Amino acid sequence: MGEILALVEARLRTALGEPDARAAVTFLGTDRIEVLRFVDGDVVRYATLGMSAQPMADPTATLADPVKGPRAELVLSVRAGLADTDKVLRALAVLAASPQVEGVIVAPGASLDLGGPLWPGAPFSSVLVAESGGLVEDLELDEPMEPVRFLPLLPMTHNEAAWKRVRGAQELQERWLSHGTDLRDPHRPSVTLD
């Protein structure tokens, strides 16, 4: 477990530089989750470290496989200095612990809901999980382990989350793209939905 997390942290440092802050959260009955903060000009990125220590198990499986199964870490990017986004650390740790706590598999296209704002005053209480491989390349592990995927999180307003449930993740992403939505803006309004 420790060896995997060391490799994950090395991959994050290679892709994003040196973290300027880190925090750790431990929930009862779960492994420790760290959140690292990386500043890149006017963008701040938060990445989880610890979610990939164990593979995510199929909630319908009778017994969780300790080796096989998808592994992931979460990455959130926002514009720096526009909101108190550092308070997102606990929210990200909650999302990263959800496979252990709730037995869910976090995968691209999924919605993760916090039931409250991502950070104080945020217009977002849920996120859309995007495809990996862009900002941070997947980390290959020795067989039979699956690679660690670094999944970007795209904050969604309440209306966007409801629209996504009806229309699907692909249509919401196309809507954001066609309207030139700045998904890193911590104060952005909901995209126009019809």
Side-chain angles (χ1 to χ4, degrees):
M1 178 174 102
E3 181 182 321
I4 290 172
L5 294 183
L7 293 170
V8 168
E9 184 168 354
R11 175 59 53 94
L12 286 168
R13 287 172 183 266
T14 300
L16 305 176
E18 286 300 310
D20 74 335
R22 65 193 309 146
V25 179
T26 305
F27 302 101
L28 187 63
T30 66
D31 295 328
R32 172 181 157 140
I33 303 286
E34 287 189 86
V35 179
L36 284 59
R37 183 180 70 186
F38 302 86
V39 177
D40 180 17
D42 69 338
V43 174
V44 62
R45 303 185 199 286
Y46 302 94
T48 62
L49 179 63
M51 183 178 172
S52 61
Q54 305 294 330
M56 291 181 271
D58 182 342
T60 61
T62 325
L63 192 59
D65 190 313
V67 178
K68 293 182 185 174
R71 294 175 190 261
E73 296 291 352
L74 308 174
V75 181
L76 174 71
S77 301
V78 292
R79 298 242 174 261
L82 301 178
D84 190 10
T85 57
D86 280 350
K87 298 281 190 331
V88 78
L89 301 176
R90 183 163 178 75
L92 284 177
V94 166
L95 296 177
S98 63
Q100 289 181 57
V101 175
E102 299 171 26
V104 297
I105 293 180
V106 177
S111 298
L112 302 175
D113 196 325
L114 282 160
L118 279 173
W119 55 82
F124 319 106
S125 60
S126 61
V127 293
L128 175 65
V129 181
E131 291 287 341
S132 67
L135 186 62
V136 183
E137 284 184 42
D138 295 346
L139 174 65
E140 297 294 329
L141 300 174
D142 294 335
E143 292 288 338
M145 292 186 285
E146 291 186 30
V148 175
R149 303 194 188 290
F150 298 88
L151 301 171
L153 300 180
L154 309 175
M156 292 188 292
T157 66
H158 179 71
N159 288 343
E160 290 169 341
W163 201 79
K164 182 257 175 196
R165 281 191 293 277
V166 174
R167 305 291 284 272
Q170 185 65 37
E171 282 200 38
L172 178 58
Q173 289 178 300
E174 287 171 7
R175 177 62 55 119
W176 282 334
L177 191 59
S178 68
H179 284 78
T181 306
D182 181 2
L183 296 173
R184 295 177 181 168
D185 180 351
H187 296 296
R188 75 170 178 82
S190 184
V191 70
T192 304
L193 304 167
D194 49 21

